[in-house]
Amino acid sequence: MRLAGFGMRAVAASVTVGLLAPLARAFYLPGIAPHDYKIGEAVELQVNSLTPSLNAENKLESVLSFGYYDERFHFCQPEGGPKAVHESLGSILFGDRIYGSAFDLHMLKDTSCQVLCQQKIPGADVAFINDKIMKGYNYNWLIDGLPAATVKVDDRTEQQFYSVGFELGSSQAGQLVPHFHNHYEITVQYHTLDAVHHRVVGVVVTPASKNTVLPKDGTASCDAAEPMNLHEDRDNSVVFTYSVKWEASEKSWATRWDDYLHAVDPRIHWFSLINSMVIVVFLSAMLGLILMRTLHKDIARYNSDDAEDLQEDFGWKLVHGDVFRPPQRFELLAVILGSGYQLFWMVVTTLVIALLGFLSPSSRGSLTTAMLLLFIVYGFSAGYNSAHLCHSFGGLSLKRIIITT
């Protein structure tokens, strides 16, 4: 009877769970909830500062970044002027300056050779633009929090990966005037949830240099074979165009960052870890062997029956007077150790928060913001540990220690 009663309760519980399951909905952690787009819904393309990239010799020729709407670039602006996007503290500290753009993208709506605008670039600004092209500056765009990237192939593994950003222009060896990229082939990868909702899971931009001529009717043709070269001795008329292609992908929203997080050679990391571990084990064994031999001699001497040897300290006992003697600048030591506690707890808490999924790459600067806030919060730990250590050394100026920390 008891088994029958237990079976009936189990069946009732299963039926209840089955009835309530359709009413349950999954939730996302704050700040990382995906945006579900409907067909035809506007998808905003945001622009960020232009940044330098590594040249063929893996060297940076510049460390300065320039705002996208710097008047010397003469890029197309949206109607009413560019509007800044709300950014976190960490994003601002890392140099992000994100604005809206004049690009018009709609979910699953392909466009071909869409005219963005026509700009006249004076010769005085051409030198600035060509210099930035020669130094390898990159565009940095964002769509649904994903950076626009170019597809590259790893020479060692022959695996494709996404390289964040794309070139402002191109130049070959011995070329006097570089090509300016004024046409953009934008490929947006999307993942379909159902017949209505879609999510952006990848953004690839292929830039091109085209000397496009804009006719009076305003419809341009992007079939020009001649590249767009900017000359410093005259004004240059530049037509900015773009095409948008929506590409279905089996990639889910949760794994859309995998193509961006590419390790160039993971074997190097394993070699470094193993090398460090071997060195630590070897040095620890050597130190332990020396200590064991020293202590063995001292213990054997203490166990001997020679009374004269027992009256004086020798060996490792000679340091007992220094162990309990406070250092000369114990206040500075207390401050340093307190700051170490502060940094330690900041790192541990940041790692825990990251493991729980609260720090998403889609939220730019969230990691830096979290570290700064936690560093401030754990200031009490630094003050307490510094004052406690200073008090153990016999210090009396505890308030000064706390303020200094």
Side-chain angles (χ1 to χ4, degrees):
M1 294 296 293
R2 291 181 178 178
L3 292 176
F6 177 77
M8 292 297 294
R9 289 194 295 268
V11 172
S14 301
V15 172
T16 304
V17 171
L19 293 175
L20 295 178
L23 302 177
R25 295 186 64 184
F27 68 93
Y28 290 88
L29 296 174
I32 61 172
H35 186 108
D36 297 336
Y37 294 93
K38 297 180 181 179
I39 297 177
E41 183 179 352
V43 180
E44 184 180 10
L45 189 151
Q46 300 170 341
V47 294
N48 201 352
S49 302
L50 279 78
T51 55
S53 62
L54 297 175
N55 57 18
E57 300 177 356
N58 289 329
K59 295 181 180 179
L60 277 177
E61 297 188 16
S62 177
V63 294
L64 299 177
S65 61
F66 295 90
Y68 184 85
Y69 291 113
D70 190 309
E71 58 183 9
R72 292 171 291 184
F73 286 117
H74 298 274
F75 292 140
C76 304
Q77 298 188 9
E79 294 183 3
K83 296 181 180 179
V85 177
H86 176 72
E87 303 177 52
S88 64
L89 177 61
S91 178
I92 295 174
L93 291 178
F94 270 91
D96 289 338
R97 299 297 183 269
I98 304 176
Y99 293 88
S101 68
F103 292 88
D104 189 19
L105 280 70
H106 295 270
M107 177 60 68
L108 300 185
K109 300 296 183 182
D110 293 347
T111 58
S112 178
C113 197
Q114 187 75 21
V115 177
L116 196 61
C117 73
Q118 184 177 14
Q119 296 282 67
K120 182 175 290 186
I121 303 178
D125 295 333
V126 168
F128 172 79
I129 297 176
N130 287 340
D131 177 67
K132 298 303 171 281
I133 294 175
M134 300 299 292
K135 291 182 178 179
Y137 272 74
N138 283 351
Y139 291 102
N140 293 285
W141 293 355
L142 297 169
I143 296 180
D144 193 48
L146 277 178
T150 51
V151 179
K152 294 185 178 181
V153 179
D154 193 334
D155 296 333
R156 299 182 181 180
T157 62
E158 297 183 355
Q159 181 182 2
Q160 289 187 351
F161 66 96
Y162 286 0
S163 177
V164 176
F166 56 97
E167 298 174 335
L168 174 64
S170 61
S171 61
Q172 303 296 331
Q175 183 178 341
L176 298 179
V177 181
H179 300 329
F180 178 64
H181 289 159
N182 61 326
H183 177 75
Y184 317 103
E185 295 284 345
I186 306 173
T187 303
V188 184
Q189 300 173 352
Y190 67 93
H191 178 74
T192 302
L193 296 177
D194 48 47
V196 179
H197 300 97
H198 311 273
R199 293 175 180 174
V200 177
V201 294
V203 181
V204 177
V205 177
T206 304
S209 179
K210 296 179 180 293
N211 190 8
T212 304
V213 178
L214 187 64
K216 294 182 179 180
D217 58 359
T219 58
S221 174
C222 297
D223 298 331
E226 182 183 357
M228 184 70 236
N229 296 329
L230 301 179
H231 301 278
E232 301 180 14
D233 56 351
R234 62 176 183 269
D235 293 342
N236 300 263
S237 179
V238 180
V239 178
F240 291 90
T241 56
Y242 68 97
S243 299
V244 181
K245 179 183 178 182
W246 294 89
E247 187 177 276
S249 175
E250 296 296 330
K251 190 188 325 178
S252 65
W253 187 87
T255 60
R256 64 177 188 167
W257 283 94
D258 292 353
D259 293 329
Y260 294 89
L261 307 177
H262 173 74
V264 178
D265 191 357
R267 293 175 299 177
I268 297 178
H269 301 288
W270 285 110
F271 176 77
S272 301
L273 290 174
I274 295 174
N275 187 31
S276 301
M277 291 175 63
V278 170
I279 292 175
V280 169
V281 171
F282 176 75
L283 294 178
S284 300
M286 291 292 295
L287 182 61
L289 181 62
I290 295 172
L291 290 176
M292 287 180 61
R293 293 185 61 182
T294 304
L295 293 177
H296 181 72
K297 287 184 179 181
D298 293 342
I299 292 173
R301 188 173 179 181
Y302 284 127
N303 292 333
S304 65
D305 296 332
D306 192 352
E308 295 182 358
D309 291 342
L310 296 177
Q311 293 178 357
E312 60 180 59
D313 293 332
F314 57 87
W316 61 274
K317 277 196 172 184
L318 293 175
V319 301
H320 78 280
D322 294 330
V323 171
F324 300 102
R325 182 184 299 122
Q328 294 181 355
R329 298 182 180 179
F330 62 87
E331 293 181 353
L332 180 60
L333 176 63
V335 171
I336 294 175
L337 289 178
S339 300
Y341 275 104
Q342 185 179 10
L343 290 173
F344 172 77
W345 288 115
M346 178 200 70
V347 172
V348 170
T349 309
T350 303
L351 291 176
V352 171
I353 294 175
L355 290 174
L356 292 176
F358 283 95
L359 302 179
S360 170
S362 299
S363 180
R364 299 180 65 87
S366 58
L367 176 62
T368 307
T369 304
M371 293 179 66
L372 290 174
L373 293 178
L374 290 173
F375 184 80
I376 296 173
V377 169
Y378 283 116
F380 76 92
S381 175
Y384 171 79
N385 288 285
S386 298
H388 182 270
L389 184 62
C390 182
H391 180 69
S392 64
F393 285 145
L396 299 177
S397 55
L398 299 183
K399 293 182 178 180
R400 186 177 67 181
I401 291 298
I402 294 176
I403 296 175
T404 306
T405 305

